[in-house]
Amino acid sequence: MSKVSVYNMEGQQVDEIELNDEVFNVEINEHLVNQAVKLQLANKRQGTQSAKTRSEVRGGGRKPWKQKGTGHARQGSTRAPQWTGGGVVFAPKPRDYSFKMNKKEKQLALKSALTSRVQENKFIVVDAIKMDEKKTKTFVKALDSLKVSKALVVLNENDQNVVCSARNIPAVKTALTNTISVYDILKYDTIVIDKAAVATIEEVYA
């Protein structure tokens, strides 16, 4: 098992813990990580885009000129795609972009992402991420003590003082152990995680 240091909110090392290799030291599967990111981005898409085809555009019922003798190319409608104001060829229509992954594939993708952060020394464990008040300035100071700027802060419990203190920081996002995703792990440079949250993740995914 790999060992990582445990820090307090002032950036001082206070302990060491061993990480479960079944979660934090697996063989990284880049394909599944890529699929998991595509899954999350695709599932976020609204799919409400829509444009009209030539059969849906208003007007154009009359033939603009006779078939022969004008010197122009033959035309049947002013709402054909080549006309200004005409319909769109293969117009986009509302659709569902979401797709599914197997549960085991999702879990392996998440473990792979967590493993990559541990191997890159971008996995910082804090003994307890707590705030006495909702104060962004205090939370920024704590991140500076941990030498972190762009971070995914993983909490074991929904502490509103921490969530509200972090939400105004553009490069920081908070998440609970049951809401972390591969996309967020890769998007943010460092994981700052509560010691209790590590135990919860190991219990769920080991």
Side-chain angles (χ1 to χ4, degrees), residues 159-193:
D159 188 331
Q160 283 300 305
N161 284 350
V162 176
V163 173
C164 293
S165 298
R167 68 184 176 190
N168 286 332
I169 309 172
V172 173
K173 180 177 179 178
T174 57
L176 296 174
T177 52
N178 60 347
T179 62
I180 55 174
S181 67
V182 175
Y183 176 74
D184 287 337
I185 291 171
L186 298 182
K187 180 180 178 181
Y188 294 91
D189 187 58
T190 306
I191 295 177
V192 178
I193 186 168

Side-chain angles (χ1 to χ4, degrees), residues 46-51 92-97:
Q46 289 183 324
T48 55
Q49 76 279 34
S50 183
K93 292 296 178 185
R95 55 168 287 198
D96 181 12
Y97 287 91

